[in-house]
Amino acid sequence: MSNKSDRNSNKQISSQQQEQNTISIPESPHGWENLKWLGPSFLWMLSAAGSGELLFTPRIAALYGYSLLWALLAAVILKWFINGEVGRFSVCTGTTILEGFKQLPGPKNWAIWLILLPQLVVAISTVAGLAGAAATALILVTGGTIQLWTVIIIVVTAAIVVLGQYSVVEKISSYVGIARTIAVVAAAIFVFPSFRQLAAGLLPQIPQDVQYQEILPWLGFMLAGAAGLMWYSYWVEARGYGAASVKGKERIDPKQLNQQEKKKLRGWVNLMTISNTLAVVGALLAALSFLILGGELLRPQELVPKENQVAETLGSLLGDLWGPFGFWFMVAIVFITFCSTVLSVEDGFGRMFADGTQIILQGFGVQGRWTKEKFLQRIYVVVLLAVLPITVYLFFGQPIGLLQTAGAIEAAHIPIVTGLTLFLNHRMLPKELRPSKIIFAGTAIAGIFFAVFAVIYLLQLLGIVG
């Protein structure tokens, strides 16, 4: 009986190996064709624009000047490593990072629960906070109450995602993102500080009387938080990078592929790395520009973006340089950027929670409508990303406070995502497709960097450190 079972098992393994050997990965694009594949990284870059760059960076500069420039550079560079490893997994297996976490040893789906539960708070707080910040721009033009406009923004953006019109808005948002970056870079050049001031900020230091509830959310949202890093795998998969382009397969085992197919996957990983790098450089340029504008224009006037005056304060970044035109141009950018970020957040969280719920329910043997990803995504967008954020905002009504809560959780969650991803890539990818020692070390350092800030923040909350 045992011999028969072993023979059946060996036949099954042999069949799977033959199936993997017949898989043909398409060649990665070359030359100008690469430009058509930058979408996932550009989406990833835009998803953080409303919090990490536009809101928190000028705020940090207004509070601490350039003393934390080193932390900004470290956060951006280290997230390049993490994002690359998340993308590597999806390129090589054709599945999302949550599907990978499902494969980890231990109790069934323990990693999925570890990821999803904290992100419930992040999702609700982020949508409520971003919509509330966008509403501060609308009341400058139309009047009315922030609460009313916040509700309208959340309802409209959720409807756009549910009705499948996100791609249209995404294109518009992309052009606005380019215009925003050009405008703030030009403005930053106009008020550029001395190199001595910037050089002083390159030396690792912590300002006196620093509040880590300000720093941790800023670092957490810079480029992307823990959730945003995982969304990258969804956008890479949806775009059809590498193994994701093979139709009819839920997951490809890259260890079973022949050398020719592995070589093709290496080409896709290189393309993903280039795309990731361009996005990081673009985001870094924008973040540095906002830091300079905050340090040169807000700090001397002791202006700090506060709760219901977010748009008015940020409007002065360009208003002080270009008069009324600059002020209203910046207010428009604030509104469109925050709204487009709400859209990308609702789309990203909707995909992630639908995917995670599908994995968990299938683990319990549930079948039918409640395991359909599109159905689950709509449910999450309506309930988790519309109804609950409206309720929370009407109760708390503090957009910056809500975003600080979400950002702190994101920063604390990043080391967990980093560690799981490194272990996953080491376990599931063949040696030819694993990260180099330098990339592995950089990614590990990234996890440690965010873990240290999270621990210090916790100690400050407990009153152990000042």
Side-chain angles (χ1 to χ4, degrees):
M1 185 76 174
S2 176
N3 290 337
K4 184 177 180 181
S5 176
D6 289 342
R7 284 197 300 271
N8 289 337
S9 178
N10 290 335
K11 285 180 181 178
Q12 186 177 5
I13 293 172
S14 177
S15 174
Q16 289 174 347
Q17 290 175 340
Q18 288 176 4
E19 187 179 353
Q20 294 286 336
N21 287 332
T22 60
I23 289 173
S24 178
I25 307 291
E27 292 281 355
S28 59
H30 300 283
W32 291 106
E33 285 293 313
N34 287 338
L35 295 178
K36 297 178 181 179
W37 293 83
L38 300 182
S41 293
F42 196 71
L43 268 176
W44 177 68
M45 182 178 70
L46 285 177
S47 70
S51 46
E53 295 170 12
L54 182 55
L55 176 57
F56 285 128
T57 300
R59 183 179 171 87
I60 289 293
L63 291 170
Y64 305 116
Y66 300 117
S67 60
L68 290 169
L69 172 60
W70 66 272
L72 183 154
L73 294 174
V76 169
I77 293 170
L78 292 174
K79 284 189 181 179
W80 175 86
F81 284 98
I82 303 171
N83 206 52
E85 289 311 291
V86 172
R88 180 190 303 274
F89 177 80
S90 291
V91 168
C92 295
T93 65
T95 58
T96 66
I97 196 72
L98 278 190
E99 281 286 342
F101 292 161
K102 181 179 73 172
Q103 310 295 323
L104 293 174
K108 183 180 291 185
N109 295 327
W110 66 272
I112 307 296
W113 288 105
L114 184 62
I115 294 297
L116 293 187
L117 289 179
Q119 291 299 326
L120 289 170
V121 179
V122 174
I124 296 168
S125 300
T126 302
V127 172
L130 288 172
T136 65
L138 275 181
I139 61 169
L140 295 176
V141 180
T142 64
T145 66
I146 292 179
Q147 289 79 5
L148 174 63
W149 284 117
T150 299
V151 171
I152 292 173
I153 290 169
I154 293 174
V155 170
V156 171
T157 52
I160 289 171
V161 175
V162 169
L163 296 174
Q165 299 302 310
Y166 176 53
S167 59
V168 177
V169 180
E170 174 198 323
K171 292 179 181 179
I172 299 172
S173 300
S174 299
Y175 293 123
V176 172
I178 294 170
R180 180 192 68 238
T181 302
I182 292 172
V184 298
V185 169
I189 292 172
F190 194 77
V191 298
F192 202 82
S194 69
F195 284 103
R196 179 176 294 180
Q197 285 178 282
L198 291 178
L202 295 175
L203 181 67
Q205 58 190 295
I206 298 296
Q208 289 184 341
D209 301 323
V210 68
Q211 295 298 312
Y212 285 92
Q213 68 261 33
E214 296 284 352
I215 296 179
L216 194 63
W218 172 56
L219 295 177
F221 275 133
M222 181 59 60
L223 286 189
L229 291 166
M230 290 184 287
W231 297 344
Y232 187 59
S233 83
Y234 289 88
W235 291 325
V236 163
E237 183 204 29
R239 185 64 182 88
Y241 269 63
S245 63
V246 180
K247 304 299 181 183
K249 288 289 297 178
E250 286 192 7
R251 184 173 67 86
I252 288 174
D253 183 358
K255 288 184 176 180
Q256 302 297 333
L257 296 176
N258 59 44
Q259 290 301 317
Q260 183 180 357
E261 302 308 313
K262 289 177 183 177
K263 183 178 179 181
K264 291 178 184 178
L265 283 178
R266 283 200 300 271
W268 282 101
V269 170
N270 291 338
L271 173 61
M272 182 273 299
T273 302
I274 294 171
S275 176
N276 182 35
T277 303
L278 291 175
V280 167
V281 170
L284 176 60
L285 195 61
L288 287 173
S289 299
F290 278 118
L291 189 77
I292 290 170
L293 291 174
E296 297 301 310
L297 301 178
L298 298 185
R299 185 169 172 80
Q301 302 179 64
E302 298 183 349
L303 286 175
V304 179
K306 296 178 181 178
E307 301 300 349
N308 294 334
Q309 281 118 20
V310 170
E312 186 175 357
T313 304
L314 292 177
S316 65
L317 290 175
L318 298 186
D320 288 351
L321 294 177
W322 301 334
F325 168 78
F327 175 83
W328 290 111
F329 179 72
M330 191 64 195
V331 168
I333 283 179
V334 166
F335 172 71
I336 296 171
T337 299
F338 283 137
C339 285
S340 65
T341 308
V342 172
L343 281 166
S344 64
V345 164
E346 288 174 336
D347 179 71
F349 272 120
R351 290 173 186 266
M352 187 178 79
F353 280 110
D355 186 25
T357 303
Q358 186 182 48
I359 292 170
I360 290 170
L361 291 178
Q362 287 175 345
F364 286 111
V366 177
Q367 298 294 330
R369 188 179 187 184
W370 288 97
T371 58
K372 301 295 184 184
E373 196 163 342
K374 284 294 181 184
F375 174 75
L376 288 171
Q377 187 177 351
R378 292 190 181 101
I379 293 293
Y380 274 116
V381 170
V382 172
V383 179
L384 181 69
L385 302 169
V387 175
L388 289 179
I390 288 172
T391 305
V392 167
Y393 187 85
L394 293 178
F395 186 78
F396 290 104
Q398 296 183 331
I400 291 179
L402 289 165
L403 288 170
Q404 284 178 331
T405 299
I409 296 173
E410 286 285 69
H413 216 182
I414 286 173
I416 296 173
V417 173
T418 304
L420 292 176
T421 302
L422 277 178
F423 179 77
L424 190 66
N425 283 347
H426 180 76
R427 177 184 174 87
M428 298 189 66
L429 301 186
K431 186 176 180 179
E432 301 92 328
L433 296 174
R434 290 177 192 164
S436 66
K437 291 181 180 179
I438 294 175
I439 297 296
F440 185 92
T443 310
I445 291 170
I448 295 169
F449 174 84
F450 289 100
V452 167
F453 273 98
V455 169
I456 296 174
Y457 170 62
L458 180 61
L459 294 176
Q460 191 177 62
L461 280 180
L462 295 174
I464 298 175
V465 299

